[in-house]
C-alpha cells in the first residue's frame, strides 16, 4: 500500500499539483486526486480507493490493507485523526493554535480550548478530507453528530456518539471507532484526557454510530482487541 507522500509524488510526476509533499491528505492533495480521477473516468470523490490506486500505480500490485487493519488508506478522515494523536490543549492561559486553526478553517466560532472540543476535532478530520460532506449545524455540540451522514454499524472509521453525565441530558462525546471488546468501544477522539488520544468508553454510554454520506458504507465489521487501560468517564 502506498503512503500519502507516494501518492503526492505520483500526482506531481503526472503534472497534477498535490501541494507540498508532506504526507498530509489535505485539500490540495484531495483536489489533485479528483483531477486525476476525472481524467481517468473514475468516481470523482478524492478518495484513494482500490480502483484509483490501480490507475495511479498501473505497474504496481497495490491494494488496500486487509480487513484486519483498522487504518486503511481510503479512510482518509481516520488517518487524519491518527496523524493528530498527541495534540493537546494548552495548560494555563492561552490556547493551542492548532486547535483554534481547525475552527478557523471551518469558519466556526471557537475562542478557547477550555471549551470542549471533541466535536471540533471530528469536524476537522471530516471537513478537511471529505470536502463534499455536510457537517452538523453545530459541530461543537457532541450530540449534534447523531444526525450526521447516514446510520451505520460500529466499524473502523465510524463516527460514534456517546452520552455524558446522563443519557437524557445534553452533554455528550463524539469520536471515531477503532475497536472494541465485549463491553467497551475503543475510540480515537479529541478532548480525551485534554488531548487527541485513544480511549475506552463503556458500551452502555453508546447513542449511535454514523457514516459519511459521500463515502460508500462498508460491510459492517467490528475490530476486536483487548483492553489494558482503564475506562474513560469524563471527556471534557
Amino acid at each position: 500500500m502506498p503512503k500519502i507522500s507516494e501518492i503526492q509524488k505520483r500526482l506531481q510526476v503526472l503534472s497534477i499539483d498535490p501541494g507540498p509533499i508532506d504526507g498530509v491528505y489535505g485539500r490540495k492533495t484531495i483536489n489533485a486526486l479528483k483531477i486525476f480521477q476525472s481524467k481517468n473516468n473514475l468516481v470523482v470523490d478524492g478518495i484513494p480507493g482500490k480502483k484509483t490506486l490501480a490507475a495511479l500505480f498501473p505497474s504496481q500490485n497495490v491494494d488496500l490493507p486487509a480487513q484486519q487493519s483498522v487504518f486503511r488508506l481510503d479512510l482518509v478522515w481516520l488517518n487524519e485523526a491518527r496523524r493528530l494523536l498527541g495534540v493537546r490543549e494548552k495548560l494555563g492561559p492561552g490556547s493551542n493554535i492548532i486547535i483554534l486553526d481547525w475552527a478557523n478553517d471551518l469558519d466556526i466560532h471557537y475562542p478557547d480550548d477550555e471549551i470542549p472540543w471533541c466535536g471540533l476535532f471530528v469536524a476537522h478530520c471530516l471537513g478537511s478530507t471529505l470536502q463534499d460532506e455536510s457537517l452538523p449545524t453545530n459541530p461543537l455540540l457532541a450530540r449534534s453528530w447523531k444526525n450526521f451522514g447516514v446510520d451505520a454499524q460500529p466499524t473502523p472509521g465510524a463516527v460514534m456518539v456517546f452520552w455524558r453525565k446522563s443519557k437524557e441530558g445534553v452533554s455528550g462525546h463524539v469520536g471515531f471507532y477503532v475497536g472494541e471488546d465485549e463491553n467497551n468501544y475503543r475510540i480515537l477522539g479529541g478532548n480525551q484526557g485534554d488531548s487527541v488520544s485513544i480511549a475506552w468508553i463503556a458500551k452502555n454510554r453508546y447513542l449511535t454510530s454514523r457514516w459519511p454520506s459521500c463515502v460508500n458504507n462498508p460491510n459492517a465489521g467490528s475490530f476486536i482487541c483487548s483492553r489494558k487501560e482503564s475506562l474513560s468517564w469524563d471527556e471534557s
Side-chain angles (χ1 to χ4, degrees), residues 52-228:
T52 295
L53 289 176
L56 195 60
F57 299 95
S59 63
Q60 300 180 31
N61 183 21
V62 295
D63 203 348
L64 299 178
Q67 182 63 34
Q68 67 266 24
S69 175
V70 174
F71 298 102
R72 294 170 21 200
L73 191 60
D74 57 333
L75 301 181
V76 287
W77 64 96
L78 184 60
N79 291 323
E80 172 65 5
R82 177 175 62 167
R83 185 181 72 85
L84 294 168
L85 280 168
V87 171
R88 64 172 47 251
E89 60 188 60
K90 187 176 181 181
L91 298 177
S95 299
N96 187 330
I97 190 64
I98 294 175
I99 298 174
L100 297 187
D101 281 346
W102 298 341
N104 290 335
D105 289 343
L106 294 167
D107 197 25
I108 296 172
H109 177 65
Y110 182 79
D112 191 321
D113 65 15
E114 286 298 312
I115 300 170
W117 48 276
C118 63
L120 175 59
F121 171 72
V122 171
H124 162 75
C125 294
L126 288 160
S128 64
T129 59
L130 300 178
Q131 295 175 310
D132 298 327
E133 186 67 37
S134 296
L135 302 180
T137 302
N138 183 6
L140 295 180
L141 183 64
R143 293 199 189 208
S144 69
W145 289 91
K146 290 169 61 179
N147 300 315
F148 167 76
V150 296
D151 186 49
Q153 295 298 314
T155 193
V159 175
M160 305 286 284
V161 184
F162 302 89
W163 59 264
R164 198 162 54 82
K165 296 183 179 179
S166 74
K167 189 173 184 178
E168 294 73 26
V170 297
S171 297
H173 182 62
V174 62
F176 299 111
Y177 176 106
V178 292
E180 64 182 277
D181 64 10
E182 183 178 358
N183 300 308
N184 313 287
Y185 288 118
R186 194 167 186 245
I187 302 299
L188 198 172
N191 216 172
Q192 297 179 165
D194 297 332
S195 69
V196 178
S197 64
I198 295 177
W200 288 92
I201 298 180
K203 288 184 176 180
N204 60 17
R205 292 177 53 196
Y206 170 78
L207 292 175
T208 188
S209 174
R210 310 294 293 180
W211 190 260
S213 59
C214 71
V215 180
N216 288 334
N217 200 339
N219 293 325
S222 58
F223 186 83
I224 306 301
C225 46
S226 58
R227 178 173 69 90
K228 298 179 180 179

Side-chain angles (χ1 to χ4, degrees), residues 8-43:
Q8 291 171 329
K9 291 175 183 177
R10 179 59 180 162
L11 289 166
Q12 192 175 67
V13 167
L14 296 173
S15 299
I16 304 175
D17 182 16
I21 310 299
D22 55 7
V24 177
Y25 205 72
R27 294 177 182 177
K28 288 187 176 180
T29 301
I30 293 168
N31 289 334
L33 195 63
K34 285 183 175 180
I35 292 171
F36 173 81
Q37 290 171 326
S38 178
K39 289 182 175 180
N40 288 271
N41 298 315
L42 297 163
V43 175

